[in-house]
């Protein structure tokens, strides 16, 4: 299992830290992923499209708790912060619009909005970006201060040809201001799974530090089948790290003691998986409401008990069953999957791996089923 991290290119630094016995680094990374610490700055006029985009990033629709307000309710002089109701450390920041004035001071603006606070910034518009916005984009990129991405909002009515003409106009505007090889992402604010947003996520994942990009991945809604698969593999890597840590502390040679020690960590991981995969009741109800579907019909597609509720009793039962099954396995086979430092506690490691990975597979199947049915 240690090779899974390398093969999937997910959280590869965890394996290196584990083998170097830097357990505190691994614990910090696991905690960071469970909390999904990420700050995104959203630039652009305070328009309905911008607020719809911000809500879609958090899986919210009109009337949902925590939705971004209408533009008329925002003070144009304030920076507004919005928490994700399910991921409290995933924050979106509605930044001040870039002023359309001749004497625009880029550095003063960046200082005013605390540009360095954000892991990434989306510079959004409904038309080709204005000159001051282009200057801001160029300055941020040239100074290597920030991962900044240009987003052009589109509507559901626009055809492919119309979209490409708008993209071309924006690219030409950027190039005319000296931006080298400009890239513009076309995004439909209400349906992020369409157009260029999946490609934008791929680019962000390459640009951000790996732990931060994974935190963003786990905090975003389950928008596409590919995103669900990525979430599943990230959780498997997270399970490997947590099980390795557990294997290092669960040393009492008493049958099923490890299940009691590991269950609290397992509950946290599976609870995070449930919300990240949008399987909890509130997420399913919000999805049904946005699509005009009956919530009960989507909820019935959850066949895994942990998709419905992550209870400590169910988790303990699965851990105990895994330990009992592993009691019949040759020790050598169990140890082959483990980091060196934890091999003296191999049963605990392997039981947690087997129980949690099986659960995550089941939950991911449920998430794919709900997404397929919802988009049908």
């Amino acid at each position: 299992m240690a090779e899974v991290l390398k093969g999937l290119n997910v959280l590869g630094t965890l394996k290196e830290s584990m083998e170097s016995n830097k357990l505190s680094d691994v614990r910090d990374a696991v905690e960071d992923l469970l909390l999904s610490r990420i700050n995104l700055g959203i630039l652009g006029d305070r328009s309905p499209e911008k607020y719809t985009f911000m809500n879609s990033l958090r899986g919210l629709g009109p009337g949902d708790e925590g939705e971004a307000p209408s533009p008329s309710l925002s003070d144009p002089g304030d920076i507004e912060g919005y928490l994700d109701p399910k991921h409290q450390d995933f924050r979106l920041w509605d930044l001040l619009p870039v002023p359309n004035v001749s004497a625009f001071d880029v550095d003063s603006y960046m200082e005013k909005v605390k540009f360095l606070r954000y892991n990434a910034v989306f510079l959004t518009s409904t038309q080709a970006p204005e000159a001051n916005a282009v200057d801001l984009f160029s300055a941020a990129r040239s100074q290597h201060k920030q991962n900044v991405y240009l987003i052009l909002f589109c509507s559901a009515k626009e055809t492919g040809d119309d979209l490409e003409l708008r993209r071309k106009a924006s690219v030409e505007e950027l190039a005319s201001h000296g931006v080298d090889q400009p890239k513009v992402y076309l995004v439909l604010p209400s349906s992020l799974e369409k157009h260029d947003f999946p490609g934008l996520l791929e680019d962000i994942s390459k640009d951000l530090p790996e732990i931060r990009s994974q935190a963003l991945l786990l905090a975003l809604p389950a928008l596409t089948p590919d995103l669900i698969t990525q979430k599943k593999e990230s959780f498997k890597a997270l399970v490997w790290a947590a099980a390795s840590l557990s294997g290092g502390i669960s040393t009492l040679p008493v049958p099923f003691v490890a299940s009691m020690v590991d269950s609290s960590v397992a509950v946290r991981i599976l609870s995070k998986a449930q919300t990240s995969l949008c399987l909890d009741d509130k997420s399913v109800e919000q999805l049904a409401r946005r699509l005009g579907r009956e919530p009960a019909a989507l909820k019935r597609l959850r066949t895994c008990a942990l998709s419905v509720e992550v209870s400590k009793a169910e988790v303990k039962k699965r851990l105990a069953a895994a330990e009992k099954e592993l009691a019949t396995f040759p020790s050598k086979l169990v140890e082959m999957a483990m980091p060196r430092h934890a091999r003296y506690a191999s049963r605990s490691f392997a039981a947690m791996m087997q129980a949690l990975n099986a659960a995550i597979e089941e939950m991911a199947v449920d998430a794919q089923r709900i997404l397929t049915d919802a988009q049908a």
Side-chain angles (χ1 to χ4, degrees):
M1 181 62 191
E3 293 304 309
V4 167
L5 296 179
K6 185 184 295 184
L8 295 172
N9 195 30
V10 176
L11 309 182
T13 52
L14 291 180
K15 180 178 183 293
E16 181 180 346
S17 296
M18 189 70 71
E19 296 290 7
S20 301
N21 207 31
K22 298 177 181 177
L23 301 188
S24 62
D25 291 349
V26 179
R27 290 191 185 96
D28 289 346
V30 169
E31 188 67 20
D32 208 359
L33 289 169
L34 287 172
L35 293 175
S36 293
R37 293 188 177 98
I38 195 84
N39 286 282
L40 299 180
I42 315 296
L43 272 167
D45 292 339
R46 284 172 164 163
S47 64
E49 292 86 357
K50 182 180 180 181
Y51 287 110
T52 298
F53 174 64
M54 292 174 64
N55 290 329
S56 295
L57 285 171
R58 298 174 296 148
L60 303 179
D64 288 338
E65 177 188 357
E67 67 165 325
S70 65
S72 61
L73 297 179
S74 291
D75 186 329
D78 290 340
I79 298 174
E80 300 285 347
Y82 296 94
L83 295 176
D84 188 308
K86 296 190 300 181
H87 308 283
Q88 291 299 303
D89 278 82
F90 177 38
R91 292 177 170 88
L92 302 183
W93 299 90
D94 181 11
L95 304 186
L96 304 177
V98 178
N100 187 22
V101 294
S102 57
F104 175 58
D105 189 327
V106 171
D107 291 334
S108 295
Y109 175 87
M110 293 176 70
E111 182 178 349
K112 186 175 183 179
V113 301
K114 300 179 176 62
F115 217 76
L116 294 179
R117 169 192 292 179
Y118 315 107
N119 301 108
V121 173
F122 297 146
L123 204 164
T124 68
S125 64
T126 54
Q127 302 296 330
E130 301 282 349
N132 288 348
V134 176
D135 290 344
L136 174 65
F137 175 80
S138 298
R141 300 285 284 199
S142 65
Q143 296 173 31
H144 301 287
K145 285 187 175 182
Q146 191 61 55
N147 298 303
V148 188
Y149 306 89
L150 288 164
I151 290 177
L152 185 63
F153 291 141
C154 55
S155 72
K157 296 179 181 179
E158 291 180 287
T159 65
D161 290 341
D162 293 335
L163 293 174
E164 288 309 315
L165 285 173
R166 291 186 62 202
R167 189 205 302 274
K168 182 179 179 182
S170 292
V171 169
E172 290 175 350
E173 179 69 18
L174 292 164
S176 70
H177 285 79
V179 178
D180 184 38
Q181 296 182 324
K183 191 168 187 177
V184 176
Y185 301 88
L186 291 166
V187 173
L188 181 59
S190 59
S191 301
L192 299 184
E193 70 277 5
K194 299 180 180 179
H195 304 308
D196 295 338
F197 189 74
L200 172 58
L201 286 184
E202 289 183 17
D203 290 342
I204 293 175
S205 69
K206 297 173 186 174
D207 297 338
L208 288 178
E210 190 173 19
I211 294 297
R212 205 58 58 217
S213 69
Q214 292 300 311
L216 176 60
L217 169 71
L218 298 187
L220 287 173
L223 299 168
T224 65
D226 183 59
L227 193 56
I228 290 173
T229 298
Q230 292 178 53
K231 286 174 180 279
K232 178 184 71 173
E233 301 303 347
S234 290
F235 276 111
K236 286 186 175 183
L238 182 56
V239 166
W240 183 89
S244 299
L245 291 172
S246 175
I249 63 173
S250 301
T251 59
L252 295 177
V254 180
F256 311 126
V257 165
S259 295
M260 306 302 107
V261 175
D262 301 340
S263 60
S264 61
V265 177
V267 166
R268 288 192 68 197
I269 292 173
L270 294 176
S271 294
K272 179 73 173 183
Q274 186 200 38
T275 55
S276 179
L277 292 167
C278 299
L279 293 167
D280 56 290
D281 283 346
K282 180 175 283 190
S283 294
V284 176
E285 290 163 3
Q286 289 171 343
L287 176 63
R289 186 160 54 247
R290 289 199 302 274
L291 299 176
R293 300 286 299 277
E294 175 58 44
L298 293 182
K299 288 180 179 180
R300 283 195 293 270
L301 298 175
R302 300 178 298 182
T303 60
C304 174
L306 292 166
S307 296
V308 179
E309 180 186 8
V310 180
S311 68
K312 198 162 188 176
E314 175 67 18
V315 173
K316 283 184 176 181
K317 182 178 75 173
R318 288 180 177 239
L319 286 170
E323 287 189 17
K324 187 175 181 179
E325 181 178 347
L326 285 166
T328 63
F329 279 35
S331 297
K332 192 65 177 176
L333 292 179
V334 174
E335 291 175 1
M336 287 172 62
M338 302 191 62
R340 287 192 300 270
H341 87 281
R343 285 177 181 169
Y344 58 85
S346 58
R347 297 297 177 189
S348 173
F349 172 91
M352 194 170 181
M353 286 284 296
Q354 180 168 310
L356 268 63
N357 280 343
I360 288 167
E361 284 284 355
E362 294 174 29
M363 296 166 81
V365 169
D366 282 353
Q368 296 278 15
R369 188 182 296 112
I370 289 173
L371 182 66
T372 300
D373 186 86
Q375 294 180 348

